[in-house]
Amino acid sequence: MIKAYRSNCEAISLSADHKVTQISDDIVWIDLINPSRAEEMHVESLLGMELPTREDMKDIEPSSRLYMEDGNVFMTGSLVWNADSRDPRLTDVAFVLAGKRLVTIRYAEPKSFNLFIAAITRVPHEMRSGTALLMKLLETIVDRTAEILENSVVRIDTVAAGIFGDQARSKRKAPRYLEDKIADISAYHRLISKVRDSLASLSRLQSFLHATPNVQQDKEAREMGRSLSRDIQSLSEHASFISGNLTFLLDAALGIINVEQNAIIKIFSIASVVFLPPTLVASVYGMNFNVMPELQWSYGYPLAVFVMLISAIIPFIFFRWKGWL
């Protein structure tokens, strides 16, 4: 699908089936969403330039993701997609400054694009050029990334409360309670890792963009670029801090599981020691010898039971006195 936006924010569709041979001068943004090869070739013919393919966008070499050719600026960044689900992903998005136009190529629909499209009418008319729209779009992407981190912090605090709160200290917890918390921590760690990768990609993209003539010749674009660089740096540091907290929570959950397992093993160990003396007494009186005085004594059985009880109580009291129970 090909969506085009005029300088008055009017959205139109550029279908490859239409026999359009020339693009209008007032179109400032062309957005290709899951384009077919025919659609890519149609836009290439309209712009008179080659666009990066999906395979080109997957290349991790900086020279393949950030470059200039014939005065056009080609950039590929990785954005977080599907962040509100249990399966966050990174999707590569190409940003092309072709003269005064912005061209974006994407094979997913990150929420930041929908937010930008919804607010595009609030962009001042004098800023509705390709470079200005790109800076505003990057600003929206950074704001969306900040929102993802803020939502993650709230959810991670809930997980932390579950690990250290009253429910975690309760003697009767749900089956696999802490194991489920570890699964939650792993999911959030994966999300934060995706965010950090995206911020690193955006940082490289912003540094490259800031050095291009399109930005250097525009004072307002330069100021927005500096602000974006500071925001990306700040978010990267915040993401690193959140990642450290997740590592602590993971270690804490594993430590609590280990402590609980040790407590269970300790109970079984003490129980075996407590019942060892009564077992010894019972073994003695279970021997088949003819000469055992207590066998003929009327108080022999009560005495044996009493000795077994005392032999069990004494170790129990000793363990409590030593603080092992």
Side-chain angles (χ1 to χ4, degrees):
M1 181 172 62
I2 308 173
K3 300 286 289 186
Y5 296 86
R6 301 183 185 274
S7 57
N8 61 359
C9 298
E10 178 188 357
I12 62 174
S13 178
L14 294 179
S15 174
D17 299 331
H18 296 167
K19 303 300 182 180
V20 179
T21 58
Q22 187 175 0
I23 191 169
S24 175
D25 292 336
D26 64 343
I27 291 180
V28 293
W29 179 24
I30 301 175
D31 187 21
L32 287 81
I33 309 169
N34 289 308
S36 63
R37 184 54 189 157
E39 291 174 331
E40 290 177 346
M41 294 177 64
H42 177 58
V43 175
E44 288 176 348
S45 65
L46 291 176
L47 297 176
M49 57 182 291
E50 290 187 4
L51 296 176
T53 64
R54 190 169 192 175
E55 289 71 23
D56 296 333
M57 293 162 59
K58 291 181 179 179
D59 200 334
I60 62 174
E61 291 294 331
S63 59
S64 301
R65 297 173 69 91
L66 306 169
Y67 61 94
M68 294 185 65
E69 189 175 273
D70 297 331
N72 300 315
V73 182
F74 298 82
M75 299 167 291
T76 301
S78 300
L79 308 186
V80 180
W81 170 54
N82 216 22
D84 296 327
S85 71
R86 300 284 293 188
D87 186 27
R89 301 181 184 180
L90 286 178
T91 180
D92 293 322
V93 178
F95 304 90
V96 181
L97 285 177
K100 296 183 178 181
R101 294 189 181 93
L102 168 65
V103 181
T104 55
I105 309 170
R106 52 195 174 105
Y107 294 89
E109 298 194 34
K111 190 175 180 180
S112 53
F113 273 79
N114 295 330
L115 293 173
F116 179 71
I117 292 171
I120 194 172
T121 55
R122 293 199 291 270
V123 177
H125 191 274
E126 62 273 11
M127 293 187 63
R128 293 175 187 172
S129 64
T131 302
L133 285 178
L134 175 57
M135 301 303 292
K136 285 291 186 180
L137 176 57
L138 290 176
E139 184 179 52
T140 305
I141 292 171
V142 171
D143 290 343
R144 170 57 182 162
T145 305
E147 181 185 358
I148 293 172
L149 289 177
E150 290 173 359
N151 293 337
S152 299
V153 168
V154 173
R155 296 170 185 171
I156 291 169
D157 286 344
T158 302
V159 174
I163 293 175
F164 300 109
D166 295 335
Q167 179 65 24
R169 292 193 296 268
S170 174
K171 293 183 179 181
R172 297 185 62 86
K173 295 191 290 289
R176 298 182 57 82
Y177 177 78
L178 288 175
E179 288 84 345
D180 292 340
K181 295 301 178 184
I182 291 178
D184 292 338
I185 292 172
S186 300
Y188 293 131
H189 190 276
R190 185 165 181 263
L191 173 60
I192 298 303
S193 297
K194 300 292 184 186
V195 171
R196 294 179 70 180
D197 290 343
S198 175
L199 288 171
S201 174
L202 290 173
S203 179
R204 292 192 296 269
L205 186 151
Q206 175 58 31
S207 298
F208 178 81
L209 176 62
H210 190 73
T212 60
N214 303 64
V215 175
Q216 289 299 316
Q217 296 171 4
D218 189 332
K219 180 180 179 181
E220 190 165 356
R222 290 200 308 271
E223 291 299 323
M224 289 184 64
R226 295 191 187 98
S227 177
L228 282 175
S229 297
R230 289 192 296 268
D231 290 343
I232 292 172
Q233 178 64 26
S234 176
L235 289 177
S236 297
E237 294 173 357
H238 188 43
S240 298
F241 173 75
I242 296 173
S243 181
N245 281 347
L246 286 171
T247 301
F248 166 74
L249 288 177
L250 180 60
D251 292 341
L254 292 174
I256 292 174
I257 291 175
N258 188 44
V259 169
E260 290 184 350
Q261 290 177 342
N262 289 339
I264 294 172
I265 297 300
K266 182 178 72 172
I267 292 173
F268 279 105
S269 300
I270 293 175
S272 62
V273 173
V274 167
F275 287 105
L276 184 60
T279 303
L280 176 62
V281 175
S283 300
V284 170
Y285 285 99
M287 296 178 183
N288 296 320
F289 291 107
N290 291 327
V291 182
M292 291 187 72
E294 292 82 4
L295 293 179
Q296 306 300 324
W297 188 29
S298 59
Y299 295 105
Y301 173 73
L303 176 63
V305 173
F306 176 75
V307 171
M308 285 189 285
L309 289 175
I310 291 298
S311 63
I313 292 173
I314 289 175
F316 179 78
I317 295 175
F318 177 75
F319 292 149
R320 289 296 298 269
W321 175 64
K322 294 290 289 184
W324 296 345
L325 284 176

